Amino acid sequence: MWGKRAARQIGGMMQSVRHTGTKKASKSVGTKSEALMEMEKKFAARIYDPIPVVIAEGKGCIVKDADGARYLDFLGGYASVNTGHCHPKIVATVQNQVMKLHQVSRAFYNSEFPVFAEYITRYFNYDRVIPMNTGVEGGDTAIKMARKWGYLSKGIPENQAVVVFPIGNFWGRSTSAISTSNNPTSFEHYGPYMPGFGLVPYDNVCALEEVLQNKNVCAYMMEPIQGEGGVIVPSEGYLKEVRRLCSKYNVLFIADEVQTGLGRTGALLACDHECVRPDILILGKGLAGAVTPMSAVLANEEIMCYMTPGSHGSTYGGNPFACALARKTLEVILEECLIENARKMGEKLRAELKCKLPKVMVPAIRGKGLMNAIEIHPDFASSHDLCVRMKECGLLAKSATGQSIRLTPPLVITEAEMEEGIEIITKAVHSFAK
Ligand SMILES: Cc1ncc(COP(=O)(O)O)c(C=O)c1O
């Protein structure tokens, strides 16, 4: 099914299959892809500016567009497709669970949630879990938990609690999440903003210590590597210092591992690189095999004890479909050594790109595991133009903040696919040389 094919019948027209990898993709004129792009442009609100490709099928790290052209997926659904597209064990779990039971609500117990709850708490070594759906709901849940703990345990006067975030943070698009954003495109004209949030520079221990001394601070919520902010890796030792300062000032350390967790950075959690343990852990993205949204917030009893019946919830949180998929996904991550693969493939990607890309054109290549970014110098191309060129060469990626392009392929990527990806990126960058 995924080998080279000579021709393919699409919508009554014969379309030849174009490139495999480095061969040029079609211009999509008059194609099924073009019709679909036009349809979306006409009927959908313009909140995204997609790379012009219509993905119709996926397997592992490879996707095909609506006209049969093949691409390496180096975005992986914004780092959510950890276990790859249509992983056979995940697909089998979908089929099995959907035939049995998919949604109940937590008005009742269901046969999957308790098993998942035991599995994930043991997996990450926390006492309890709250299941939610999207990553932003996970962040919101963590903030509610921290505020409640702040009032009932730390003794912060009611309605005075402050949660501190680093500048450059991204944890979603809700009105609370944009209230902590310093990116005007995210927050402008959406005010009034949620009070009770503070900002400090990222990767700055002195600045953090200063704000944590405020007795009303209940939590510091941060990404161990900033994703949307441009894949910003803090200095070694920063996470250890965050842990030390949070403990010193009786402030909860909330790790937003929605993007960095589940093996993405070459460790199960990005906090594991420095052997630190957050008080509250947020997971999301590919937790349920990138089939259905699922997030989870984990903490120990001294924080979870304040989360009482009726004080929080979600219609779909803990649904049996997502729970069965999450358990299978967590199993696959271990069974298929995806953490190790992410570490090895990430090292290969950065090392080879550093050799092959001229520093004048690509001044920065950074990341950990398979959470990476390259920066193209604006004298040569915009990050969007480079993404379009990479797409024309057979690789899909998307720009993050400024001139950076994020490279977050599925963790199941093979060495041959990584080599092909490196070749394509190199070729695309060199095509802008003057
Ligand atoms: C670190 C982090 N937290 C939270 C979120 C929000 O997740 P969602 O889009 O599922 O709400 C994202 C999304 O990119 C993220 O990168």
Side-chain angles (χ1 to χ4, degrees), residues 244-277:
R244 184 182 69 77
L245 292 174
C246 285
S247 299
K248 180 173 173 188
Y249 295 103
N250 194 24
V251 165
L252 299 181
F253 173 12
I254 304 175
D256 176 354
E257 294 240 22
V258 166
Q259 187 163 170
T260 52
L262 306 176
R264 169 63 49 191
T265 70
L268 179 59
L269 298 174
C271 283
D272 293 346
H273 288 292
E274 294 198 17
C275 300
V276 301
R277 197 177 145 75

Side-chain angles (χ1 to χ4, degrees), residues 127-168:
D127 292 342
R128 292 186 187 275
V129 62
I130 296 181
M132 298 298 287
N133 311 286
T134 59
V136 74
E137 287 173 282
D140 208 59
T141 301
I143 291 165
K144 286 170 83 175
M145 286 163 59
R147 284 180 169 180
K148 217 164 178 192
W149 171 88
Y151 299 128
L152 300 178
S153 175
K154 186 169 174 175
I156 296 172
E158 202 60 35
N159 294 324
Q160 303 291 309
V162 174
V163 178
V164 176
F165 293 81
I167 293 168

Side-chain angles (χ1 to χ4, degrees), residues 116-298:
F116 159 78
E118 180 183 19
Y119 191 82
I120 195 168
T121 50
R122 288 188 195 277
Y123 200 95
F124 290 100
N125 197 20
Y126 285 93
D127 292 342
R128 292 186 187 275
V129 62
I130 296 181
M132 298 298 287
N133 311 286
T134 59
V136 74
E137 287 173 282
D140 208 59
T141 301
I143 291 165
K144 286 170 83 175
M145 286 163 59
R147 284 180 169 180
K148 217 164 178 192
W149 171 88
Y151 299 128
L152 300 178
S153 175
K154 186 169 174 175
I156 296 172
E158 202 60 35
N159 294 324
Q160 303 291 309
V162 174
V163 178
V164 176
F165 293 81
I167 293 168
N169 73 80
F170 180 86
W171 58 280
R173 302 295 195 159
S174 69
T175 49
S176 280
I178 57 142
S179 299
T180 73
S181 174
N182 59 296
N183 178 353
T185 318
S186 296
F187 69 75
E188 255 175 12
H189 311 301
Y190 288 135
Y193 303 104
M194 172 69 88
F197 295 147
L199 285 179
V200 283
Y202 191 58
D203 198 14
N204 185 327
V205 176
C206 296
L208 182 64
E209 176 145 30
E210 209 177 309
V211 299
L212 295 194
Q213 291 174 42
N214 173 347
K215 298 217 162 2
N216 289 344
V217 173
C218 62
Y220 180 48
M221 177 161 147
M222 53 117 37
E223 299 153 80
I225 295 174
Q226 290 191 327
E228 191 67 24
V231 186
I232 309 299
V233 184
S235 328
E236 220 182 306
Y238 178 65
L239 298 178
K240 267 206 162 74
E241 282 298 285
V242 169
R243 177 65 278 173
R244 184 182 69 77
L245 292 174
C246 285
S247 299
K248 180 173 173 188
Y249 295 103
N250 194 24
V251 165
L252 299 181
F253 173 12
I254 304 175
D256 176 354
E257 294 240 22
V258 166
Q259 187 163 170
T260 52
L262 306 176
R264 169 63 49 191
T265 70
L268 179 59
L269 298 174
C271 283
D272 293 346
H273 288 292
E274 294 198 17
C275 300
V276 301
R277 197 177 145 75
D279 299 300
I280 301 179
L281 172 67
I282 314 165
L283 300 170
K285 296 259 190 203
L287 180 57
V291 172
T292 188
M294 184 182 207
S295 52
V297 186
L298 293 126

